Amino acid sequence: MFSKEEVMKWLKRGGLALGVTCLVFLVTHRVALAADPTGAGSTEQAANYIWILICAFLVMFMQAGFGMLEGGFCRAKNVTNLMTKNLMDFAIGSLAFFLVGYAIMMGGDWHGLWGTQGWFMLGDYYDVDKYLNMFWMLVFCATAATIVAGAVAERMKFKAYLVYSVVVSVIIFPIFGHWVWGGGWISQLPFGLGGLDFAGSGVVHAVGGFVGLAGAMVLGPRFGKYAKDGKPQAIPGHSIALATLGVFILWFGWFGFNPGSTCDPHHLRISVIAVNTNLAAAAAALAAMLVAKWKTKKWDTGMALNGAVAGLVAITCACAWVEGWAAIVIGLIAGPLMYAGVKFLESKGVDDPVGAVSVHGICGLWGLLSLGFFADGTYGNYSTEAPFVTGLFYGGGGGQLLAQFITAVVVFAWAFGIGYLMFKIMDKTFGIRVSPEEELQGLDIPEHGTPAYPDFLTTRR
Amino acid sequence: MFSKEEVMKWLKRGGLALGVTCLVFLVTHRVALAADPTGAGSTEQAANYIWILICAFLVMFMQAGFGMLEGGFCRAKNVTNLMTKNLMDFAIGSLAFFLVGYAIMMGGDWHGLWGTQGWFMLGDYYDVDKYLNMFWMLVFCATAATIVAGAVAERMKFKAYLVYSVVVSVIIFPIFGHWVWGGGWISQLPFGLGGLDFAGSGVVHAVGGFVGLAGAMVLGPRFGKYAKDGKPQAIPGHSIALATLGVFILWFGWFGFNPGSTCDPHHLRISVIAVNTNLAAAAAALAAMLVAKWKTKKWDTGMALNGAVAGLVAITCACAWVEGWAAIVIGLIAGPLMYAGVKFLESKGVDDPVGAVSVHGICGLWGLLSLGFFADGTYGNYSTEAPFVTGLFYGGGGGQLLAQFITAVVVFAWAFGIGYLMFKIMDKTFGIRVSPEEELQGLDIPEHGTPAYPDFLTTRR
Amino acid sequence: MFSKEEVMKWLKRGGLALGVTCLVFLVTHRVALAADPTGAGSTEQAANYIWILICAFLVMFMQAGFGMLEGGFCRAKNVTNLMTKNLMDFAIGSLAFFLVGYAIMMGGDWHGLWGTQGWFMLGDYYDVDKYLNMFWMLVFCATAATIVAGAVAERMKFKAYLVYSVVVSVIIFPIFGHWVWGGGWISQLPFGLGGLDFAGSGVVHAVGGFVGLAGAMVLGPRFGKYAKDGKPQAIPGHSIALATLGVFILWFGWFGFNPGSTCDPHHLRISVIAVNTNLAAAAAALAAMLVAKWKTKKWDTGMALNGAVAGLVAITCACAWVEGWAAIVIGLIAGPLMYAGVKFLESKGVDDPVGAVSVHGICGLWGLLSLGFFADGTYGNYSTEAPFVTGLFYGGGGGQLLAQFITAVVVFAWAFGIGYLMFKIMDKTFGIRVSPEEELQGLDIPEHGTPAYPDFLTTRR
């Protein structure tokens, strides 16, 4: 249809025109005083703001955790590339979500599909409450975005990753987020209390995981991942120290992710949420390590690390609605499930260098479903008042489980579908995989001109 | 008495039986509504929850600090092992303390010895306040647990470390913790206001340090630590960068540890606690470095790093009850004391790869005693109301000092005694030290199958 | 005039005399009960304390960020030295600022020049509010101090750095800080609302940046920085992973730095500040990377990392007083400005190994000026009440811009002037640069006796 040059030329012209329009608009606009950009608040409000902001800071810090975990699991020759991708998806996501994504996700509701107000956070959206809510949603958007970096690591062009960062921040995350958290159609399902996802097992993690699956599939496996006979080969990461640091940072940041999602510290339930978050991570790390020990006779560190994250992902949906023992069970299932997922995908020819699809995608689905079983009927839908969320094991009937099942199916279809389409279009237009020479050399020098560790002698695999 | 196989067989059967019993119990129980698992709170409560939770998150993050510090001080060939131990003691401790440890520590009081309620946090313990308190105590338990990893580094079997993790989390820490913080006999001593330990110089750090001493003694020194003539040899750690990062993370996390221990931000004393914490760390880092400079003519980075932690350990007991200048003096003493302790233990044949015994054990005792001297009579026993804690230098008489001295003696006897017994039993049963071949090769490959840094050429010491 | 030996002898005697005097004074003083060292507070106060303390902890954690960023940008042979400097400037600064610096900065006002009360935080300053404010200012002082480490990296004597740490903490930072934040003459300028600097683009960053410039100039460039024909050579840092971690930690910590500077969470404006902080960092990282791509055809990771920090520095002054779109524009300018600054300084023979002068100095000045253009008239001078700060683009006239311009000129003159004088005096007295042999070998072994990475084979450049 169109040549690559033509497409790029029109994209550039369109971008320029859009940029100039925005600039003119921004400079000529006036601050809306209908909203409250100044913000003199009560102590009750101050407590809410403290809670939400500090928790948001913790979630933002998870960017460092993902960078270290994914970087640690990569080879030294691709570390600069991985780190730069992690930095830039946050930078691009921060701008794109502020300008456009938030409006689509939370700017009112149009037929249950998306929002239509709050573009550029201007007018009534220049308001302390709106800015606060935007910031909260932004750090979740950025988490979804950065998950993909691991699945497509060591072979995707930097440019393609920049484009992807825009698409996930303005379309993939915001629209699904609207369906569940923005008053969209999933939240209105007539089963149970509608599709629920407390802090984002689905909205954040399954979205990231299955976009990553799409990316890994469109890219194909790395050189050397499969032997001539098709047997998968282990490609160990370059630094267990960084990977461990990454997991601890993620675990730490998750205490903002989950308890912070009450968006209100007057819900003292936050203590239960913190405990559940911790228990699931612990149980899953232990279970994943024990399964690996049983299978391989080694205390597999990589599986223990990914196990912890799998537990955190799994409990994210139900953390506010279950008891501590259920959090342990959810984690005990998540760890082996992650292990099985990694082996299954590997056997099917999907090369996911850090296990992101299994950790975030598969365990994200398990998280969505788990709520339908274990919700104990003591806490509401982001509320300390009835109706409370109740699952199958507590006599709540199967309605909630059905709503959760639908949510799980939809998140897979949406994230994988749009993700696949996006990567395919890019691949057809300008190609998303680096050249074989670049891949063998490592992406750091051809793409960035900087090896990550110039002072050290490496094995140069 | 019994063969190793028999013991293991019965341990496995017992574990299975216990597990099944628990599962049946958990699934058939009903949520207790006498307690409050939902939690709609006032702003006063919300402020308390914010404070305690965020501080607890900071303390949890110290796990990363210990991992990086201990890992940085190890050789590259043992880093995977060290990191995995740090991860798993937190995972195991989180489960064990939730299920059993908390009940022993804080579940009421039986003759000043231990608690007897709250098993599995069920019934009345499924309550937002109880969960909050459990989480707070858990992160302290995990800190005590992880300290030991450094003292036994580079030669202990992974399996033995897993067993140790359970014992410290359900017996060693909770019982001593009960004596001081749970209303046990030390807190009831008839001298001063009873044995006091604001944030755990003794309860956390001395416990960890002296269990570590027991482990280091039962294990014996690493190959190469002592020359044929018995002279100790320096075995430098593999990454000063990681170790420095670890110390900064610990310093950061300690601002949760100490100020958070008011468990109430309405005690504005938290500002004094934060300042004292910072001053002691700074003074001890400086003093330790200057002593090392005087002795060795070098600006010794390892000593400066350990000095900072020694100061933090030392001020942990008295941080709420002293003035800023006293915090400086406590730190100025802690730094050189740590230095002397390291040299003393080394000369006695105790090989503590990271200096944990001196930093946490010896400076923990100094912290306990320091309160008896410097408490200035302006803050109470976790209270802003009289009676205030007053030490010798402020006319308080020697009563408090005596109580502190008893606490110090008891913590040493308890932690070292039970620790020694535990490691000896394990050593007799299945052996806690890896084989000489494994030790020389490094523990990473034989135990975990994964070198920490496969891409780099190392000196393979 | 005086020989080096004589100067050192008298310095030592003076130090001893001062030390003894202090000790006698401290031990014989009594706690002042006019102040409130106990602190029983309302929930309103508790919320303020939580906010200020947690934000201060985040700012303190930026020490780790600077250590990792500067360390990552250094060569492996100087990493121990860099890390130890970062640790010790915080240790020394913590002591010096508590004892003397705070009194000079915030202890009342003498003719608009400096403070005169609160020495050693004794008497009326042993008070929960005073301690809180001291701690808040301390972490800012420590940030200014640690910025310089990067500019003078890889060639300054450790001893000289220790002396510098004292001078910046008791003179350079506190006096300029008094002028802007302590009620001094800049804050009283009769233009706009006087010279303003919300969280310290000038007070913290430009001060650090231009003292660093002085240091880099007095030291001269590193061996190998310039070829024989005078062309600057790239000396790549040893670890992009650590540098990236450092930037993420800084970005995280900056959410304490800027929003925390309201010192009051009842100003709900904190949400806008957090968003602005994030937007400027994102925009600057993107813009710096794109400029570098345009100039060099590579996705330059170092520029992207420094770009993020440049954006954070630039928004620090105006963060509370502008809209989100303006924060983006401020960042979009800061990124390329940083890039140009790095190239300009390099071309002028100033060797700044990490780009600190450009990032913190030049972008700090841009931050000061930007307020005069973009302040939107919706928030006051640390207040939610009028008069509000209004810049040129919002009809505020040029008064505020003039005040900002004066502030920018003064901060450059003060920091560079006093910095230059200090380094010159030290250089004449005992020399601040290590010997050529030490520099070529790397500073780690001659100064500290410890290589940073003894287990790895390095290229030993």
Side-chain angles (χ1 to χ4, degrees), chain C residues 15-338:
Chain C
L16 193 68
L18 184 68
V20 172
T21 311
C22 293
L23 203 68
V24 171
F25 178 66
L26 288 167
V27 172
T28 56
H29 87 290
R30 281 289 158 265
V31 172
L33 291 179
D36 176 14
T38 307
S42 67
T43 297
E44 186 180 342
Q45 285 174 297
N48 291 349
Y49 270 62
I50 293 172
W51 179 242
I52 296 170
L53 283 174
I54 307 256
C55 286
F57 304 160
L58 292 177
V59 178
M60 179 268 155
F61 191 45
M62 289 168 65
Q63 296 289 319
F66 281 109
M68 296 304 115
L69 175 57
E70 295 167 0
F73 279 170
C74 280
R75 285 167 290 180
K77 64 184 178 182
N78 295 312
V79 167
T80 299
N81 181 256
L82 197 289
M83 295 289 169
T84 317
K85 284 176 178 165
N86 272 270
L87 185 78
M88 293 318 299
D89 66 35
F90 187 62
I92 289 173
S94 290
L95 298 170
F97 192 80
F98 172 84
L99 294 172
V100 180
Y102 182 73
I104 291 171
M105 182 169 174
M106 304 298 287
D109 175 67
W110 185 80
H111 296 293
L113 293 176
W114 46 66
T116 56
Q117 305 158 28
W119 310 100
F120 305 158
M121 301 298 292
L122 291 172
D124 283 352
Y125 282 70
Y126 185 36
D127 176 273
V128 290
D129 284 341
K130 298 287 190 196
Y131 263 55
L132 181 69
N133 188 244
M134 192 288 297
F135 190 59
W136 181 251
M137 291 302 170
L138 162 64
V139 291
F140 282 75
C141 176
T143 305
T146 202
I147 289 166
V148 176
V152 302
E154 306 205 307
R155 59 209 193 281
M156 183 180 272
K157 279 185 190 165
F158 190 72
K159 186 169 60 172
Y161 193 81
L162 296 185
V163 175
Y164 145 78
S165 297
V166 176
V167 177
V168 77
S169 305
V170 304
I171 295 174
I172 302 177
F173 174 80
I175 290 183
F176 189 78
H178 180 81
W179 296 349
V180 180
W181 290 343
W185 69 271
I186 291 179
S187 69
Q188 300 168 20
L189 284 174
F191 312 110
L193 300 181
L196 290 173
D197 188 0
F198 191 71
S201 285
V203 175
V204 177
H205 294 280
V207 163
F210 291 121
V211 173
L213 175 62
M217 285 173 65
V218 174
L219 281 166
R222 292 167 292 171
F223 282 107
K225 179 64 199 173
Y226 292 94
K228 281 194 180 155
D229 61 359
K231 254 187 96 173
Q233 309 294 308
I235 301 181
H238 88 289
S239 175
I240 294 291
L242 285 189
T244 307
L245 175 64
V247 167
F248 276 126
I249 293 177
L250 289 176
W251 199 323
F252 174 54
W254 231 288
F255 290 121
F257 211 93
N258 286 0
S261 288
T262 59
C263 290
D264 187 340
H266 300 82
H267 295 196
L268 306 183
R269 186 78 183 179
I270 50 182
S271 69
V272 176
I273 302 173
V275 169
N276 285 344
T277 300
N278 198 55
L279 287 172
L286 185 63
M289 194 185 64
L290 291 177
V291 168
K293 169 77 177 167
W294 172 51
K295 289 285 193 184
T296 69
K297 310 295 171 213
K298 296 290 179 191
W299 303 104
D300 189 315
T301 306
M303 284 299 170
L305 293 170
N306 264 345
V309 184
L312 290 163
V313 168
I315 197 63
T316 295
C317 168
C319 56
W321 293 304
V322 302
E323 292 182 84
W325 74 267
I328 295 176
V329 174
I330 291 170
L332 287 177
I333 292 170
L337 183 66
M338 180 278 299

Side-chain angles (χ1 to χ4, degrees), chain A residues 121-132:
Chain A
M121 299 299 292
L122 290 172
D124 283 352
Y125 281 71
Y126 184 36
D127 175 274
V128 291
D129 284 341
K130 297 286 190 198
Y131 262 55
L132 181 69

Side-chain angles (χ1 to χ4, degrees), chain B residues 92-359:
Chain B
I92 289 174
S94 289
L95 298 169
F97 192 80
F98 172 84
L99 294 171
V100 180
Y102 182 72
I104 291 172
M105 182 168 173
M106 304 298 288
D109 176 67
W110 184 79
H111 295 293
L113 292 176
W114 47 66
T116 56
Q117 304 157 32
W119 311 102
F120 306 156
M121 300 298 293
L122 291 172
D124 284 351
Y125 281 71
Y126 185 35
D127 175 273
V128 290
D129 284 341
K130 297 285 191 198
Y131 263 55
L132 181 69
N133 190 244
M134 192 289 295
F135 190 58
W136 182 250
M137 292 301 171
L138 161 64
V139 291
F140 282 76
C141 176
T143 305
T146 201
I147 288 166
V148 176
V152 303
E154 308 204 306
R155 59 208 192 280
M156 183 179 272
K157 279 184 192 166
F158 191 72
K159 187 169 59 173
Y161 193 81
L162 296 185
V163 175
Y164 145 78
S165 297
V166 176
V167 177
V168 78
S169 305
V170 304
I171 296 174
I172 303 178
F173 173 82
I175 290 184
F176 189 78
H178 179 81
W179 296 349
V180 180
W181 291 343
W185 69 273
I186 290 179
S187 70
Q188 300 168 21
L189 284 174
F191 312 111
L193 300 182
L196 290 174
D197 188 1
F198 191 71
S201 286
V203 174
V204 176
H205 294 280
V207 162
F210 291 121
V211 173
L213 175 62
M217 285 174 66
V218 173
L219 280 166
R222 292 166 292 172
F223 283 108
K225 178 65 197 172
Y226 293 94
K228 282 194 179 154
D229 61 359
K231 254 186 98 173
Q233 308 294 309
I235 301 181
H238 87 290
S239 175
I240 294 291
L242 286 189
T244 306
L245 176 62
V247 167
F248 276 126
I249 293 177
L250 289 176
W251 200 323
F252 174 55
W254 232 287
F255 290 121
F257 211 94
N258 287 359
S261 288
T262 59
C263 290
D264 187 340
H266 300 82
H267 294 197
L268 306 183
R269 186 79 183 179
I270 50 181
S271 68
V272 176
I273 301 173
V275 169
N276 286 345
T277 300
N278 197 54
L279 287 172
L286 185 63
M289 193 185 64
L290 291 176
V291 168
K293 169 77 175 166
W294 171 51
K295 289 284 193 184
T296 68
K297 309 296 172 215
K298 296 289 180 191
W299 303 104
D300 189 314
T301 306
M303 284 298 169
L305 294 170
N306 264 344
V309 184
L312 291 164
V313 168
I315 197 62
T316 294
C317 168
C319 56
W321 292 305
V322 302
E323 294 182 82
W325 73 267
I328 295 176
V329 174
I330 289 170
L332 287 177
I333 292 171
L337 183 66
M338 180 278 301
Y339 186 90
V342 165
K343 295 300 170 191
F344 173 77
L345 290 166
E346 204 174 43
S347 77
K348 292 290 169 195
V350 177
D351 180 15
D352 173 4
V354 309
V357 180
S358 190
V359 169

Side-chain angles (χ1 to χ4, degrees), chain C residues 258-435:
Chain C
N258 286 0
S261 288
T262 59
C263 290
D264 187 340
H266 300 82
H267 295 196
L268 306 183
R269 186 78 183 179
I270 50 182
S271 69
V272 176
I273 302 173
V275 169
N276 285 344
T277 300
N278 198 55
L279 287 172
L286 185 63
M289 194 185 64
L290 291 177
V291 168
K293 169 77 177 167
W294 172 51
K295 289 285 193 184
T296 69
K297 310 295 171 213
K298 296 290 179 191
W299 303 104
D300 189 315
T301 306
M303 284 299 170
L305 293 170
N306 264 345
V309 184
L312 290 163
V313 168
I315 197 63
T316 295
C317 168
C319 56
W321 293 304
V322 302
E323 292 182 84
W325 74 267
I328 295 176
V329 174
I330 291 170
L332 287 177
I333 292 170
L337 183 66
M338 180 278 299
Y339 186 90
V342 165
K343 295 301 171 191
F344 173 77
L345 290 167
E346 205 173 44
S347 75
K348 291 290 167 196
V350 177
D351 180 16
D352 174 3
V354 309
V357 179
S358 190
V359 170
H360 298 276
I362 295 174
C363 291
L365 297 188
W366 161 234
L368 286 174
L369 295 179
S370 69
L371 177 68
F373 297 107
F374 295 103
D376 71 359
T378 62
Y379 185 73
N381 182 0
Y382 297 89
S383 165
T384 59
E385 283 171 29
F388 294 151
V389 185
T390 313
L392 205 58
F393 292 170
Y394 287 78
Q400 193 62 48
L401 183 58
L402 180 58
Q404 296 308 111
F405 180 73
I406 295 171
T407 310
V409 171
V410 172
V411 73
F412 173 78
W414 170 257
F416 181 74
I418 302 284
Y420 199 85
L421 193 70
M422 167 187 67
F423 284 120
K424 266 292 177 197
I425 289 175
M426 281 201 282
D427 201 34
K428 293 288 176 200
T429 316
F430 58 85
I432 60 172
R433 185 155 178 170
V434 297
S435 73

